[in-house]
Amino acid sequence: MDDQITRREALDKLVNIITPEESLESQENDQEETLKNEENPHLQDPTTKHPKPPFNKQFQPFPGLAAKMDPVPDHGEESYVGSGRLTGRKALVTGGDSGIGRAAAIAFAREGADVAINYLPDEESDAAEVIDLIKKAGRNAVAIPGDLRDEAFCNRLVSEAVSQLGGLDILVNNAGHQKSNQSILDISTEDFDRTMKTNIYAPFWITKAALPHLKPGSSIIGLSSVQAYDPSADLYDYAQTKAATTSYVKSLAKQLGPKGIRVNGVAPGPVWTALEVSGGQTQEKLVEFGGDTPLGRPGQPAELASIFVQFADNTGSFATGQIYGSAGGSGQP
Ligand code: NAD
Ligand code: MG
């Protein structure tokens, strides 16, 4: 038959595909590549870069302190290196004392921004560390403690931030409350109210107060979650606030786009923060926290910092109404 080839022809073809020289060369290249990877400290394996479960059981009363966690989270204190991406910018970060907000505050300062942080009075010791780090970056640091469940305080927070920073062009509505409850029957009206006031009302009040100060080029960033897309059974109230956040980000982006103000959201997966050890997870879930992601571990706040910088930076100017995820391989978006 015409399409049949002889053994000889087949062998010749094979030899043409892989000559001994070529295969030797490719082996050498592979070895060189492996060597290069071993030698290059900038190439980091994400599976081994940070602590993995099992974690020790640990509980702190709300709101918890990052400094008392075991292990202490990495917020980029030692690792984040700026390159002037936010020179002269002025940022307000709620919940900037610890966790994801602290990582954003450190990164903003090292990128050249002056930063005001808000936190609860109980978190003064965590906040003092962040204020110190912002100052060490050579930037203006402003500490404004207070409870965001109070509309009058939210208004005061914005006016103090504006007057002490000399303006405002980055707003991160990061503060949040999460409490695990096995049943809807366990959630009191007070519990429900705390979650809604902190996660939904506060960003509404703060954004309203900030808007008159935001010039074209400004950036608003909200904190959504994988919970917005695949809510856990024990996070009935929290999960709906994160779906609401995704929704407000997309609505506000449409409203403010024509004014040149961008609005985006970050949707983290499991991240090792005080919120998780102060009632956010059951002790059983905490021990295995992040173990079910493809990377086999929870994220550290430092690993999300560059997303906030990207959203705030002028170079990201076509991104608005977007939700960027960081969840170790599972979860959406
Ligand atoms: P965190 O505990 O370090 O930060 C949350 C901060 O919220 C606290 O430091 C506190 O200052 C602030 N806060 C809470 N209630 C407040 C109130 N009434 N008034 C003023 N401030 C108040 O925890 P985190 O995980 O970094 O949380 C930051 C954001 O990230 C939250 O919106 C959270 O929902 C979101 N998030 C976290 C994860 C995670 O796995 N850690 C996952 C998805 C989304
Ligand atoms: Mg805190």
Side-chain angles (χ1 to χ4, degrees), residues 64 97-98 123:
D97 60 301
S98 61
E123 299 172 302

Side-chain angles (χ1 to χ4, degrees), residues 62-63 94-101 118-120 123 146-149 173-178 194 198-199 223-226 238 242 267-276 278 289:
F62 174 81
T94 65
D97 60 301
S98 61
I100 297 166
N118 158 257
Y119 50 93
L120 287 163
E123 299 172 302
D147 195 321
L148 296 176
R149 291 174 299 162
N173 284 313
N174 163 74
H177 181 66
Q178 171 185 327
R194 178 183 275 279
T198 313
N199 300 6
L223 258 293
S224 183
S225 167
V226 291
Y238 174 83
K242 295 296 153 179
V271 181
W272 187 247
T273 68
L275 170 142
E276 306 294 358
S278 59
F289 193 59

